[in-house]
Amino acid sequence: MRGGAARFALPALALLLAQATAAFAAAPVPQQLAIATGSVTGIYYQIGAAICRLLRDHPPGQPVDCRTEGTAGSLQNLTIVAEAGAALGLAQADNLHDAATGTGAFAGRAPDRRLRALFSPVVETLLVLTRASHSVPQIADLRGRRVSIGAQASGSEATFRQMMAARGWGLGDFSQIVDIRASLQARALCAGKVDAIAFVAANPVPVMQEATFACAARFVPVEDAFARMMVARHPYYVAAEVPGALYPNNPEPTPTIGVHGVVIANADASEELVYAVTRAVFAHLREFRTLHLAFADVTAEAMLDPCLFAPVHPGAARYYREAGLRPPRACLDS
């Protein structure tokens, strides 16, 4: 009997193994997706994490193995995505414009034709903080002070330097320009290592919350005439303000300028992959809004309204056609 049972068991086991092997072979191979983001305390990291979560919770027909990649920020992300070091990334619209036209932060380089845009999930604002004991009435009064403008290759650094150029300022107009990572800026300000910190991000910002709470730091307003000039001169800037009472010790709104944060892709990124990312966000927009306070009021129309300064990726364009949405504009002559 034992021998007979074994003779029956072996073919059955072989059949089960064959079925398991066939099922494994038939299972779709996950698409690999790396998203170049930024500091773990920044909004780009949160956007990347939100996209990965939506793809995990609502997997497309071909699953996506999604991960975020920490970087120095916007400028580095543009280079990484253009060189296909990551399929997707996050960048400020002003930096994307410069990369696509070979100007500003990318002056001296050929216009980059490898970049594509998907949508803009946030508006980021230029935030400048000083300690209460060293507060200044407006940005123009930062001259002669020690200022941290963010890490090298970050969008914050590039935006502040453009603001300097618009005012006719150079490095000699400051006591010191300090290169400090965003996550350490609040600590440096409160410790008196710098007189002011500058940062471009979507509110609320943990670094700004830390500084306004720990040492009663105050926001420095951008003068109205200067803000209007920057918006009129540069198509990627918009008028903005830091809401009053959003941060401790800052009860009144603070006028400033803003710039759209853009999800970007390499031109060669898989159309199916980009379609899956775009669909995950727009088809589950209500859930997306719950994943960070900066997304709470976002609408489909707002994400597609601004100029994104790069052609829309075909995968994203396909979703917009299917969903009956008007795709964003590149707003470049070339």
Side-chain angles (χ1 to χ4, degrees):
M1 292 294 293
R2 290 179 182 175
R7 283 195 299 273
F8 284 111
L10 286 174
L13 178 60
L15 178 61
L16 287 173
L17 288 173
Q19 290 174 336
T21 301
F24 180 79
V29 177
Q31 303 175 85
Q32 299 298 310
L33 172 59
I35 306 176
T37 57
S39 164
V40 294
T41 61
I43 192 62
Y44 287 174
Y45 191 89
Q46 300 303 321
I47 293 171
I51 290 172
C52 287
R53 177 169 174 173
L54 291 174
L55 288 168
R56 182 197 68 201
D57 293 349
H58 308 281
Q62 183 177 3
V64 178
D65 183 4
C66 181
R67 68 183 188 276
T68 57
E69 299 281 358
T71 69
S74 181
L75 295 182
Q76 187 179 25
N77 292 347
L78 285 160
T79 300
I80 290 172
V81 171
E83 296 176 352
L88 265 62
L90 280 300
Q92 293 175 200
D94 53 346
N95 302 154
L96 178 55
H97 169 276
D98 290 350
T101 57
T103 59
F106 290 85
R109 304 188 195 182
D112 203 320
R113 310 298 185 193
R114 300 168 293 179
L115 295 167
R116 298 292 182 267
L118 277 66
F119 52 86
S120 170
V122 293
V123 174
E124 305 178 78
T125 53
L126 173 63
L127 305 167
V128 180
L129 276 179
T130 61
R131 295 191 306 283
S133 58
H134 288 73
S135 62
V136 297
Q138 56 189 10
I139 297 291
D141 299 303
L142 289 177
R143 295 179 70 180
R145 298 176 184 264
R146 299 169 300 162
V147 182
S148 165
I149 61 174
Q152 293 182 2
S154 68
S156 299
E157 179 198 32
T159 299
F160 194 86
R161 287 187 182 277
Q162 184 172 72
M163 187 183 70
M164 287 170 55
R167 293 178 182 272
W169 292 353
L171 295 179
D173 287 285
F174 297 90
S175 172
Q176 188 179 10
I177 291 291
V178 187
D179 174 14
I180 300 176
R181 288 205 318 270
S183 59
L184 302 178
Q185 282 183 308
R187 192 179 309 170
L189 178 67
C190 291
K193 294 181 180 179
V194 293
D195 302 315
I197 59 176
F199 195 70
V200 177
N203 294 297
V205 185
V207 170
M208 300 302 167
Q209 290 174 321
E210 179 184 352
T212 53
F213 177 79
C215 58
R218 301 288 194 270
F219 285 105
V220 182
V222 175
E223 311 92 297
D224 181 63
F226 182 78
R228 283 189 280 107
M229 181 273 291
M230 291 294 280
V231 171
R233 181 181 295 180
H234 304 290
Y236 34 77
Y237 289 135
V238 296
E241 70 174 18
V242 183
L246 181 62
Y247 297 93
N249 301 299
N250 287 268
E252 299 300 323
T254 305
T256 184
I257 57 174
V259 63
H260 287 271
V262 183
V263 179
I264 59 172
N266 183 280
D268 293 330
S270 160
E271 181 175 327
E272 290 301 322
L273 183 62
V274 175
Y275 174 90
V277 168
T278 308
R279 186 182 185 283
V281 173
F282 282 82
H284 304 285
L285 190 55
R286 182 177 298 179
E287 183 177 344
F288 179 72
R289 294 190 190 106
T290 69
L291 299 181
H292 193 277
L293 284 174
F295 315 148
D297 299 320
V298 71
T299 65
E301 293 74 19
M303 288 198 289
L304 300 176
D305 180 64
C307 296
L308 300 187
F309 304 104
V312 176
H313 191 282
R318 187 177 118 209
Y319 176 77
Y320 300 142
R321 287 194 302 272
E322 291 180 4
L325 296 170
R326 179 181 59 81
R329 299 157 291 153
C331 296
L332 290 175
D333 294 334
S334 56

